[in-house]
Amino acid sequence: MSLDSKITNQLKEKYTAIDQDLEDHLEGLLYSKPITYWEYIQTDALLNLQLPRTDFPDEMVFIMYHQVTELLFKMILSEIEQVAKNEYVDAVIFTDKIMRVSRYFDVLTSSFSIMKDGMDVEQYNKFRQTLTPASGFQSAQYRKIEFASTELINLIDKRFRKTIDRNSSYENAFEHLYWQAAGKDYKTGKKTYTLTVFEEKYKEEFIRFTKFYYENNLWSKFKSLPKEAQENEALIKAMRHYDYTVNIKWVMAHYNTANHYLNIGGETAEATGGSEWVKYMHPKYQKRIFFPELWTKQEIEDWGINI
């Protein structure tokens, strides 16, 4: 059988399977234009997504950096989803996907120098005033990465972890997630506008998302692997690397950048969303850990301290 015949037969099989006529599709090829780079990447659309609120040129750096970050978040969620929806994942596949995700976060961590050293401090502290009440904690994709990485109990505010168990309702757990502290007074229950509009936009979506990932998050999937796979040294190393990269290295890169711009002359400026950003962001306060059983008691105790 010639190569042409083989391909033709494969195409027939493909389109017959979906009740389509191969000749109709081949005829369409006669009239279609060849694909170009700018059409495939949608370059024109991408380059028109930057809408600064001021005339300060460094605001464009701020906008584009965050857009690149969101694109990387989408790549990360795609990799995690492939593990979550794979019924036959093994140690090799798991390790490969975890390391892919870690590399994306490595890029995010190292790229924070673009923000830290790539914007004029005076410009930033002027254009940031136009961003109130928006806040970085409103990144829905990052919240989904957390939900997809670990059990919900590990994302509960440290102050309430002992009072909330795995049988708690999604609603109750959601109200005590660590990032709620960035926009909620737990004594009065009052929420900031920043948190309120974020929940109005995403809360129902988050609850649906967490219901799927209740048993399909990375930590739960790992614990469902055969004992031999759970003891695989390469996989354990990859899991620990991911946990440390996301919850210490990347968070601290973010923290140090915020500190560079918001802590001037010993005076700490308030975040645009009104959060107490030092205690919200620094890992030593919340001790966010995706895979707690892979760390020693001492490592957890020292989490985020000796950096």
Side-chain angles (χ1 to χ4, degrees):
M1 181 185 292
S2 69
L3 180 62
D4 287 347
S5 299
K6 183 179 179 181
I7 292 174
T8 301
N9 287 336
Q10 288 175 332
L11 286 170
K12 283 181 179 177
E13 289 177 9
K14 173 183 176 177
Y15 286 104
T16 299
I18 57 173
D19 296 324
Q20 292 288 298
D21 189 320
L22 172 60
E23 289 200 9
D24 288 342
H25 288 272
L26 290 176
E27 185 177 354
L29 288 174
L30 291 173
Y31 310 114
S32 63
K33 295 186 297 182
I35 190 71
T36 62
Y37 171 83
W38 55 90
E39 291 170 321
Y40 182 63
I41 303 300
Q42 290 290 293
T43 312
D44 291 342
L46 277 173
L47 299 182
N48 281 284
L49 292 175
Q50 294 74 47
L51 303 172
R53 295 169 65 83
T54 72
D55 292 325
F56 294 111
D58 282 357
E59 187 183 354
M60 287 291 280
V61 176
F62 187 82
I63 293 171
M64 287 186 282
Y65 179 80
H66 283 82
Q67 289 178 338
V68 169
T69 297
E70 291 291 340
L71 288 173
L72 281 163
F73 284 166
K74 187 171 184 177
M75 293 167 74
I76 289 165
L77 284 167
S78 174
E79 299 290 353
I80 295 176
E81 183 181 41
Q82 291 173 60
V83 175
K85 293 185 176 179
N86 188 342
E87 295 180 13
Y88 307 105
V89 65
D90 58 19
V92 174
I93 294 173
F94 214 128
T95 302
D96 175 65
K97 293 299 182 185
I98 288 286
M99 289 310 298
R100 284 193 189 190
V101 172
S102 290
R103 283 193 289 272
Y104 298 143
F105 268 107
D106 285 337
V107 169
L108 287 167
T109 301
S110 62
S111 70
F112 254 112
S113 61
I114 293 171
M115 286 269 285
K116 184 173 178 293
D117 303 316
M119 294 190 299
D120 179 82
V121 174
E122 186 176 351
Q123 283 189 40
Y124 172 78
N125 278 293
K126 287 181 178 176
F127 75 69
R128 72 180 289 270
Q129 297 302 322
T130 71
L131 308 182
T132 303
S135 171
F137 88 75
Q138 292 175 317
S139 170
Q141 287 200 114
Y142 185 64
R143 299 302 155 210
K144 286 183 175 181
I145 289 170
E146 293 181 314
F147 294 144
S149 293
T150 192
E151 295 168 348
L152 210 55
I153 191 68
N154 295 323
L155 300 175
I156 298 296
D157 188 300
K158 189 173 180 289
R159 294 170 292 177
F160 306 109
R161 282 180 200 164
K162 291 182 179 179
T163 62
I164 295 179
D165 60 28
R166 288 171 174 78
N167 297 318
S168 182
S169 70
Y170 286 105
E171 278 284 341
N172 188 44
F174 191 90
E175 288 297 321
H176 292 85
L177 292 170
Y178 82 90
W179 46 265
Q180 288 256 336
K184 182 177 181 179
D185 184 330
Y186 282 105
K187 292 180 181 179
T188 64
K190 185 178 180 180
K191 298 179 180 181
T192 63
Y193 176 81
T194 302
L195 179 58
T196 300
V197 295
F198 184 50
E199 289 184 348
E200 287 174 354
K201 172 73 173 173
Y202 292 112
K203 186 173 180 178
E204 289 185 7
E205 182 180 342
F206 284 163
I207 290 176
R208 287 194 301 271
F209 189 86
T210 54
K211 284 181 178 179
F212 171 74
Y213 276 98
Y214 179 77
E215 294 181 343
N216 295 296
N217 63 78
L218 293 176
W219 184 222
S220 294
K221 292 284 281 191
F222 172 82
K223 291 193 292 185
S224 72
L225 293 173
K227 187 172 184 242
E228 182 182 354
Q230 289 188 49
E231 294 174 350
N232 183 283
E233 289 186 13
L235 176 53
I236 291 173
K237 183 178 179 181
M239 297 279 282
R240 281 169 56 93
H241 177 74
Y242 173 56
D243 210 349
Y244 185 85
T245 299
V246 178
N247 290 314
I248 291 185
K249 287 180 66 180
W250 187 71
V251 172
M252 283 306 300
H254 194 172
Y255 174 86
N256 290 332
T257 300
N259 196 52
H260 175 72
Y261 289 103
L262 301 180
N263 193 345
I264 302 171
E267 299 248 342
T268 303
E270 188 179 79
T272 50
S275 68
E276 192 178 353
W277 61 271
V278 174
K279 289 189 176 181
Y280 159 68
M281 291 177 65
H282 202 293
K284 71 180 181 182
Y285 293 106
Q286 282 290 342
K287 294 188 186 294
R288 296 184 294 275
I289 304 174
F290 290 157
F291 319 126
E293 291 170 38
L294 297 184
W295 300 93
T296 67
K297 184 177 180 181
Q298 190 61 52
E299 285 173 327
I300 292 174
E301 187 68 26
D302 295 338
W303 195 260
I305 294 175
N306 301 315
I307 304 171

